[in-house]
């Protein structure tokens, strides 16, 4: 006998990207009406954990020097990849080259000399300070 969950999965089908259901509501997954129901903080944290694992794997594959960074600087690289997407983040060529050479002062300057820094404001300042080794306690 098929249970309720399995029946719903069968009837709704899985969609990995948002779509409009027959009632016109923004929906995802197995018929989750995110327009009316949203998500819980626990669900958002679960999604963020998965995104960060993906970003870490992307960075490890894209940058041969990634494992040479300390945890804080790895976190900065992961956060920028998360925020920008890998394709856009790879556009930070001078900053990434400075990271590879462990010239963290230059990397921080390059971070701040960008449209991204002007868009995200304090986030860029905080990450640049961490890159330079400030507030790494």
């Amino acid at each position: 006998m098929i249970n309720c969950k399995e029946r719903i999965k069968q009837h709704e089908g899985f969609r990995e990207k948002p779509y409009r259901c027959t009632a016109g509501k923004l929906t995802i997954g197995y018929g989750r009406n995110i327009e009316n129901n949203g998500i819980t903080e626990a669900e958002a944290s679960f999604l963020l954990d998965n995104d960060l694992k993906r970003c870490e794997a992307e960075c490890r594959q894209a940058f041969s020097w990634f494992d040479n960074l300390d945890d804080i600087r790895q976190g900065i690289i992961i956060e920028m990849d998360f925020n920008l997407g890998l394709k856009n983040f790879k556009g930070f060529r001078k900053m990434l080259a400075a990271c590879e050479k462990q010239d963290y002062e230059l990397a921080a300057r390059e971070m701040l000399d960008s449209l991204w820094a002007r868009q995200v404001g304090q986030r860029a300042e905080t990450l640049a300070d961490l890159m330079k080794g400030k507030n790494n306690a």
Side-chain angles (χ1 to χ4, degrees):
M1 174 151 252
I2 196 165
N3 67 24
C4 179
K5 180 180 177 181
E6 291 305 314
R7 233 183 4 259
I8 289 171
K9 287 170 78 173
Q10 248 183 356
H11 290 141
E12 293 287 344
F14 173 74
R15 302 262 190 96
E16 68 181 32
K17 302 216 186 246
Y19 65 97
R20 295 279 172 193
C21 72
T22 56
K25 300 290 183 173
L26 193 57
T27 307
I28 197 166
Y30 292 106
R32 173 70 178 263
N33 177 339
I34 57 177
E35 194 168 311
N36 287 0
N37 299 319
I39 61 173
T40 66
E41 187 170 347
E43 289 166 327
S45 184
F46 177 80
L47 294 172
L48 179 57
D49 286 343
N50 287 340
D51 287 341
L52 292 177
K53 286 175 191 171
R54 175 186 47 78
C55 288
E56 181 176 356
E58 283 179 352
C59 290
R60 193 163 266 119
Q61 182 176 10
F63 311 118
S64 61
W65 44 264
F66 180 81
D67 286 324
N68 297 333
L69 302 176
D70 60 36
D71 289 347
I72 291 172
R73 290 181 176 107
Q74 283 184 357
I76 294 165
I77 299 298
I78 292 167
E79 183 172 345
M80 290 182 72
D81 176 37
F82 173 81
N83 183 233
L84 293 158
L86 187 61
K87 180 182 176 189
N88 291 330
F89 182 45
K90 282 183 169 182
F92 281 70
R93 289 181 300 279
K94 292 178 184 176
M95 177 249 178
L96 294 169
C99 285
E100 183 175 14
K101 294 175 186 164
Q102 299 182 347
D103 185 344
Y104 302 125
E105 289 286 332
L106 178 58
R109 283 195 307 273
E110 292 297 336
M111 290 166 68
L112 294 174
D113 185 24
S114 68
L115 173 60
W116 168 79
R118 292 187 294 281
Q119 291 172 332
V120 301
Q122 187 56 52
R123 182 182 203 169
E125 295 285 339
T126 299
L127 293 180
D129 283 346
L130 289 169
M131 182 63 76
K132 289 187 277 191
K134 294 182 181 178
N135 304 318
N136 283 5

